[in-house]
Amino acid sequence: MDFLNIIWIIFFIMAFLPMLHQRRIEATRLHLIRTFERKRNSRLVTLIHRQEALSLLGIPLSRYINIEDSEQILRAIRLTPEDMPIDLVLHTPGGLVLAAEQIAHAILKHPAKVTVYVPHYAMSGGTLIALAADEIVMDENAVLGPVDPQLGEYPAASIIKVIEEKDKNKIDDRTLILADIARKAMKQVRESLVELLAEKMERQRAEELATTLSEGRWTHDYPIGVEELTAMGLPVKAGLPREVYQLMELYPQPAGRRPSVQYVPLPYSRREGQRG
């Protein structure tokens, strides 16, 4: 065997082993998902964005809630019987308002109980999704965040504040247009929040809390912990099942792309969900 053949063999092994490793992790994740589902007689869906440290050619990349995520979660809900609970493991920095609202409203419409598990954080659009659930179960150190809309790199509330404090004759047209969009975005997000929260509390309290979360009183990355969420009157409790932590360990920050939404892609019957 000449040197060139040895090089090709080494190259093949180096390319093939990561693939085997990824498939092993994938199989382990699916096994753990099914074990959790059998234990709770539920459908388990994950929405996990773990590429915070991923970079390409030194340029940082990030994952966030997008239309693909909403399509997959809506499909998972459609494949779930109306009387079967849904469990959603949620770890995300947020993302597109459209996608987050689609997921939230689909969760709200599901007749059976929906439980959201937050092992670390579910910010912005992730918080919007969590608020649609019947119950939010969090690690004692996990956090949600404000749901104030962002326009590009700026908070909508801050854009509005600029035109309120500055002479309009000295403001350029682009800023005025952004302010108009900002007002509409804040109104739309607040209305969505009211609709979600009114299912869990009195309408007046829902409107007050929707304003608190969407008006921009905090920075967008302000962490809202379990105690503060409970004081707000939200259905939150601390204490995650052990399986959720095990599942998170099976979502490392890989060098390659993988789906962020995962579930067993089959329609379930109640009988299937209860099978041991």
Side-chain angles (χ1 to χ4, degrees):
M1 183 178 296
D2 58 30
F3 179 75
L4 184 60
N5 287 334
I6 294 175
I7 293 297
W8 275 110
I9 292 172
I10 293 174
F11 177 80
F12 177 79
I13 293 174
M14 291 178 65
F16 191 64
L17 286 180
M19 186 186 303
L20 288 178
H21 177 68
Q22 185 63 28
R23 290 190 176 183
R24 182 184 63 80
I25 291 178
E26 176 80 10
T28 306
R29 280 201 298 254
L30 290 175
H31 175 72
L32 186 56
I33 287 173
R34 283 303 283 143
T35 300
F36 189 89
E37 289 177 333
R38 292 188 180 103
K39 180 179 178 180
R40 287 181 49 85
N41 296 324
S42 67
R43 159 88 70 182
L44 176 63
V45 182
T46 67
L47 179 54
I48 298 173
H49 298 127
R50 282 291 292 258
Q51 277 86 350
E52 295 96 333
L54 180 63
S55 65
L56 178 64
L57 301 177
I59 302 173
L61 303 177
S62 61
R63 295 293 303 281
Y64 56 87
I65 302 169
N66 57 27
I67 295 300
E68 181 183 353
D69 291 336
S70 63
E71 288 177 350
Q72 290 298 317
I73 291 182
L74 266 58
R75 180 171 183 264
I77 294 174
R78 287 196 301 270
L79 292 175
T80 305
E82 291 187 350
D83 60 347
M84 176 178 281
I86 291 177
D87 295 320
L88 175 62
V89 177
L90 192 57
H91 173 81
T92 179
L96 296 178
V97 173
L98 170 59
E101 286 191 353
Q102 283 185 307
I103 295 170
H105 289 292
I107 287 174
L108 190 66
K109 293 175 184 177
H110 186 67
K113 182 178 180 179
V114 178
T115 303
V116 163
Y117 296 93
V118 183
H120 185 56
Y121 74 151
M123 306 298 284
S124 190
T127 298
L128 187 71
I129 293 170
L131 293 176
D134 299 293
E135 184 177 40
I136 306 170
V137 183
M138 303 171 64
D139 180 89
E140 62 181 6
N141 297 308
V143 297
L144 303 184
V147 195
D148 56 310
Q150 310 290 295
L151 298 183
E153 59 183 308
Y154 299 117
S158 297
I159 296 173
I160 293 173
K161 189 173 182 179
V162 167
I163 68 166
E164 290 176 345
E165 296 186 354
K166 190 174 181 180
D167 185 347
K168 289 187 178 180
N169 294 320
K170 297 181 180 180
I171 302 175
D172 62 274
D173 290 347
R174 182 177 184 276
T175 302
L176 291 172
I177 292 170
L178 285 175
D180 179 59
I181 297 172
R183 286 195 182 95
K184 294 173 182 176
M186 292 185 69
K187 180 175 182 292
Q188 290 167 195
V189 169
R190 184 182 180 279
E191 289 175 350
S192 291
L193 284 170
V194 171
E195 183 178 348
L196 297 176
L197 294 169
E199 296 290 324
K200 303 168 180 61
M201 57 187 68
E202 294 182 357
R203 179 84 182 186
Q204 181 178 350
R205 177 55 185 153
E207 291 179 351
E208 293 172 353
L209 185 52
T211 298
T212 298
L213 293 171
S214 65
E215 68 180 356
R217 67 169 59 184
W218 302 299
T219 60
H220 196 57
D221 61 351
Y222 175 76
I224 308 175
V226 175
E227 291 184 3
E228 191 170 358
L229 292 165
T230 302
M232 291 177 178
L234 294 171
V236 175
K237 72 176 185 179
L240 287 176
R242 175 175 51 86
E243 292 88 350
V244 174
Y245 295 112
Q246 293 175 334
L247 191 58
M248 287 296 292
E249 291 176 0
L250 295 171
Y251 284 85
Q253 297 183 32
R257 189 181 185 281
R258 57 150 180 80
S260 54
V261 176
Q262 189 164 21
Y263 55 91
V264 179
L266 296 171
Y268 288 169
S269 65
R270 289 294 300 172
R271 187 174 183 179
E272 172 68 19
Q274 295 172 354
R275 188 175 300 167

